[in-house]
Amino acid sequence: QVQLVESGGGLVQAGGSLRLSCAASGLTFSNYGMAWFRQAPGKGREFVAALSWYGGGTYYADSVKGRFTISRDNAKNTAYLQMNTLKPEDTARYYCAAAYRTTAQAMGAWTTGSFGYWGQGTQVTVSS
């Protein structure tokens, strides 16, 4: 049974940082591209960042480029999202998703229904 479990969310002041983690189990992690999405209250789920399955490529939404960094540790079966210079508009529930042998650019163009696996999310709240 595949599971993705996010952690690391919380309340932070504007300008602060958080690192989210996505721990994967039940799959061969190194075979999966990983992505982060977020969903604010009353809005749809939006793409944030993706990392290719081979680890060599990344893709970011314009709204987070230069502030967020996606990475992975295959030895720990974990993906990360380092979020710096947080803004109140970054407030949302953050979800990780996995896609078999997919590049970051491809994941950036996919709809949410194209991803095989999702976590339950972790809440990030940025106060002004």
Side-chain angles (χ1 to χ4, degrees):
Q1 180 182 0
V2 175
Q3 279 195 313
L4 301 177
V5 179
E6 301 94 336
S7 62
L11 174 64
V12 64
Q13 287 190 330
S17 298
L18 282 174
R19 188 177 81 155
L20 306 183
S21 298
C22 172
S25 60
L27 51 72
T28 304
F29 184 69
S30 59
N31 278 341
Y32 283 78
M34 300 299 295
W36 287 93
F37 284 74
R38 65 187 181 187
Q39 187 165 16
K43 296 188 177 181
R45 196 168 294 190
E46 68 168 348
F47 171 80
V48 174
L51 179 61
S52 298
W53 69 275
Y54 54 85
T58 57
Y59 189 76
Y60 296 92
D62 287 344
S63 58
V64 306
K65 205 173 292 183
R67 299 187 299 123
F68 291 11
T69 303
I70 187 171
S71 62
R72 66 191 299 155
D73 184 338
N74 287 345
K76 296 182 177 179
N77 287 356
T78 300
Y80 303 97
L81 185 68
Q82 177 67 44
M83 305 187 297
N84 298 329
T85 319
L86 282 161
K87 304 175 180 180
E89 51 263 43
D90 294 318
T91 295
R93 190 163 186 85
Y94 283 70
Y95 299 86
C96 67
Y100 182 73
R101 293 203 169 189
T102 309
T103 65
Q105 284 203 318
M107 286 185 279
W110 282 7
T111 61
T112 55
S114 299
F115 288 84
Y117 304 107
W118 288 89
Q120 293 301 304
T122 185
Q123 179 66 35
V124 171
T125 303
V126 184
S127 63
S128 57

